[in-house]
PDB file of all heavy atoms in Angstrom:
ATOM      1  N   LEU A 862     -16.242 -23.460 -10.680  1.00 98.00           N
ATOM      2  CA  LEU A 862     -15.969 -24.902 -10.752  1.00 98.00           C
ATOM      3  C   LEU A 862     -14.498 -25.185 -11.022  1.00 98.00           C
ATOM      4  O   LEU A 862     -13.915 -26.122 -10.454  1.00 98.00           O
ATOM      5  CB  LEU A 862     -16.828 -25.543 -11.839  1.00 98.00           C
ATOM      6  CG  LEU A 862     -18.296 -25.789 -11.511  1.00 98.00           C
ATOM      7  CD1 LEU A 862     -19.008 -26.377 -12.729  1.00 98.00           C
ATOM      8  CD2 LEU A 862     -18.446 -26.715 -10.308  1.00 98.00           C
ATOM      9  N   LEU A 863     -13.872 -24.393 -11.884  1.00 97.00           N
ATOM     10  CA  LEU A 863     -12.455 -24.602 -12.175  1.00 97.00           C
ATOM     11  C   LEU A 863     -11.602 -24.380 -10.929  1.00 97.00           C
ATOM     12  O   LEU A 863     -10.687 -25.162 -10.638  1.00 97.00           O
ATOM     13  CB  LEU A 863     -12.009 -23.667 -13.299  1.00 97.00           C
ATOM     14  CG  LEU A 863     -12.541 -24.013 -14.693  1.00 97.00           C
ATOM     15  CD1 LEU A 863     -12.292 -22.867 -15.660  1.00 97.00           C
ATOM     16  CD2 LEU A 863     -11.886 -25.299 -15.216  1.00 97.00           C
ATOM     17  N   LEU A 864     -11.885 -23.314 -10.183  1.00 98.00           N
ATOM     18  CA  LEU A 864     -11.115 -23.053  -8.975  1.00 98.00           C
ATOM     19  C   LEU A 864     -11.391 -24.110  -7.905  1.00 98.00           C
ATOM     20  O   LEU A 864     -10.459 -24.619  -7.261  1.00 98.00           O
ATOM     21  CB  LEU A 864     -11.437 -21.657  -8.441  1.00 98.00           C
ATOM     22  CG  LEU A 864     -10.990 -20.487  -9.321  1.00 98.00           C
ATOM     23  CD1 LEU A 864     -11.430 -19.164  -8.711  1.00 98.00           C
ATOM     24  CD2 LEU A 864      -9.477 -20.493  -9.518  1.00 98.00           C
ATOM     25  N   MET A 865     -12.653 -24.453  -7.728  1.00 98.00           N
ATOM     26  CA  MET A 865     -12.982 -25.454  -6.724  1.00 98.00           C
ATOM     27  C   MET A 865     -12.398 -26.816  -7.082  1.00 98.00           C
ATOM     28  O   MET A 865     -11.980 -27.572  -6.195  1.00 98.00           O
ATOM     29  CB  MET A 865     -14.497 -25.553  -6.564  1.00 98.00           C
ATOM     30  CG  MET A 865     -15.131 -24.378  -5.830  1.00 98.00           C
ATOM     31  SD  MET A 865     -14.534 -24.153  -4.140  1.00 98.00           S
ATOM     32  CE  MET A 865     -14.949 -25.724  -3.404  1.00 98.00           C
ATOM     33  N   SER A 866     -12.358 -27.136  -8.361  1.00 97.00           N
ATOM     34  CA  SER A 866     -11.753 -28.411  -8.752  1.00 97.00           C
ATOM     35  C   SER A 866     -10.275 -28.432  -8.407  1.00 97.00           C
ATOM     36  O   SER A 866      -9.726 -29.476  -8.044  1.00 97.00           O
ATOM     37  CB  SER A 866     -11.958 -28.667 -10.251  1.00 97.00           C
ATOM     38  OG  SER A 866     -11.155 -27.806 -11.047  1.00 97.00           O
ATOM     39  N   GLY A 867      -9.608 -27.264  -8.510  1.00 96.00           N
ATOM     40  CA  GLY A 867      -8.210 -27.184  -8.125  1.00 96.00           C
ATOM     41  C   GLY A 867      -7.998 -27.393  -6.640  1.00 96.00           C
ATOM     42  O   GLY A 867      -7.016 -28.019  -6.216  1.00 96.00           O
ATOM     43  N   TYR A 868      -8.898 -26.882  -5.825  1.00 97.00           N
ATOM     44  CA  TYR A 868      -8.790 -27.074  -4.380  1.00 97.00           C
ATOM     45  C   TYR A 868      -9.118 -28.503  -3.962  1.00 97.00           C
ATOM     46  O   TYR A 868      -8.545 -29.045  -3.031  1.00 97.00           O
ATOM     47  CB  TYR A 868      -9.730 -26.115  -3.655  1.00 97.00           C
ATOM     48  CG  TYR A 868      -9.171 -24.743  -3.447  1.00 97.00           C
ATOM     49  CD1 TYR A 868      -9.734 -23.639  -4.075  1.00 97.00           C
ATOM     50  CD2 TYR A 868      -8.067 -24.535  -2.625  1.00 97.00           C
ATOM     51  CE1 TYR A 868      -9.220 -22.367  -3.883  1.00 97.00           C
ATOM     52  CE2 TYR A 868      -7.547 -23.266  -2.424  1.00 97.00           C
ATOM     53  CZ  TYR A 868      -8.132 -22.190  -3.048  1.00 97.00           C
ATOM     54  OH  TYR A 868      -7.614 -20.941  -2.863  1.00 97.00           O
ATOM     55  N   GLU A 869     -10.088 -29.109  -4.656  1.00 97.00           N
ATOM     56  CA  GLU A 869     -10.596 -30.413  -4.230  1.00 97.00           C
ATOM     57  C   GLU A 869     -10.081 -31.576  -5.073  1.00 97.00           C
ATOM     58  O   GLU A 869     -10.443 -32.728  -4.810  1.00 97.00           O
ATOM     59  CB  GLU A 869     -12.126 -30.393  -4.266  1.00 97.00           C
ATOM     60  CG  GLU A 869     -12.749 -29.563  -3.162  1.00 97.00           C
ATOM     61  CD  GLU A 869     -12.433 -30.146  -1.790  1.00 97.00           C
ATOM     62  OE1 GLU A 869     -13.174 -31.025  -1.331  1.00 97.00           O
ATOM     63  OE2 GLU A 869     -11.435 -29.711  -1.177  1.00 97.00           O
ATOM     64  N   PHE A 870      -9.257 -31.282  -6.089  1.00 95.00           N
ATOM     65  CA  PHE A 870      -8.788 -32.323  -7.003  1.00 95.00           C
ATOM     66  C   PHE A 870      -9.979 -33.100  -7.554  1.00 95.00           C
ATOM     67  O   PHE A 870      -9.961 -34.334  -7.645  1.00 95.00           O
ATOM     68  CB  PHE A 870      -7.802 -33.266  -6.316  1.00 95.00           C
ATOM     69  CG  PHE A 870      -6.482 -32.632  -5.959  1.00 95.00           C
ATOM     70  CD1 PHE A 870      -5.501 -33.366  -5.308  1.00 95.00           C
ATOM     71  CD2 PHE A 870      -6.210 -31.305  -6.264  1.00 95.00           C
ATOM     72  CE1 PHE A 870      -4.277 -32.798  -4.978  1.00 95.00           C
ATOM     73  CE2 PHE A 870      -4.997 -30.718  -5.933  1.00 95.00           C
ATOM     74  CZ  PHE A 870      -4.032 -31.465  -5.290  1.00 95.00           C
ATOM     75  N   ASN A 871     -11.025 -32.364  -7.909  1.00 96.00           N
ATOM     76  CA  ASN A 871     -12.292 -32.973  -8.333  1.00 96.00           C
ATOM     77  C   ASN A 871     -12.391 -32.926  -9.857  1.00 96.00           C
ATOM     78  O   ASN A 871     -12.699 -31.891 -10.453  1.00 96.00           O
ATOM     79  CB  ASN A 871     -13.461 -32.213  -7.698  1.00 96.00           C
ATOM     80  CG  ASN A 871     -14.794 -32.903  -7.906  1.00 96.00           C
ATOM     81  OD1 ASN A 871     -15.097 -33.378  -8.994  1.00 96.00           O
ATOM     82  ND2 ASN A 871     -15.595 -32.956  -6.856  1.00 96.00           N
ATOM     83  N   LEU A 872     -12.139 -34.080 -10.484  1.00 95.00           N
ATOM     84  CA  LEU A 872     -12.161 -34.146 -11.942  1.00 95.00           C
ATOM     85  C   LEU A 872     -13.562 -33.968 -12.512  1.00 95.00           C
ATOM     86  O   LEU A 872     -13.713 -33.462 -13.627  1.00 95.00           O
ATOM     87  CB  LEU A 872     -11.576 -35.474 -12.416  1.00 95.00           C
ATOM     88  CG  LEU A 872     -10.043 -35.598 -12.330  1.00 95.00           C
ATOM     89  CD1 LEU A 872      -9.610 -37.023 -12.616  1.00 95.00           C
ATOM     90  CD2 LEU A 872      -9.381 -34.637 -13.309  1.00 95.00           C
ATOM     91  N   ASP A 873     -14.592 -34.373 -11.772  1.00 96.00           N
ATOM     92  CA  ASP A 873     -15.960 -34.185 -12.262  1.00 96.00           C
ATOM     93  C   ASP A 873     -16.272 -32.701 -12.442  1.00 96.00           C
ATOM     94  O   ASP A 873     -16.857 -32.300 -13.456  1.00 96.00           O
ATOM     95  CB  ASP A 873     -16.964 -34.811 -11.292  1.00 96.00           C
ATOM     96  CG  ASP A 873     -16.926 -36.338 -11.310  1.00 96.00           C
ATOM     97  OD1 ASP A 873     -16.443 -36.898 -12.317  1.00 96.00           O
ATOM     98  OD2 ASP A 873     -17.381 -36.956 -10.333  1.00 96.00           O
TER      99      ASP A 873
END
Side-chain angles (χ1 to χ4, degrees):
L862 283 178
L863 289 168
L864 293 177
M865 287 299 301
S866 72
Y868 276 114
E869 288 296 273
F870 292 179
N871 189 316
L872 285 171
D873 289 339

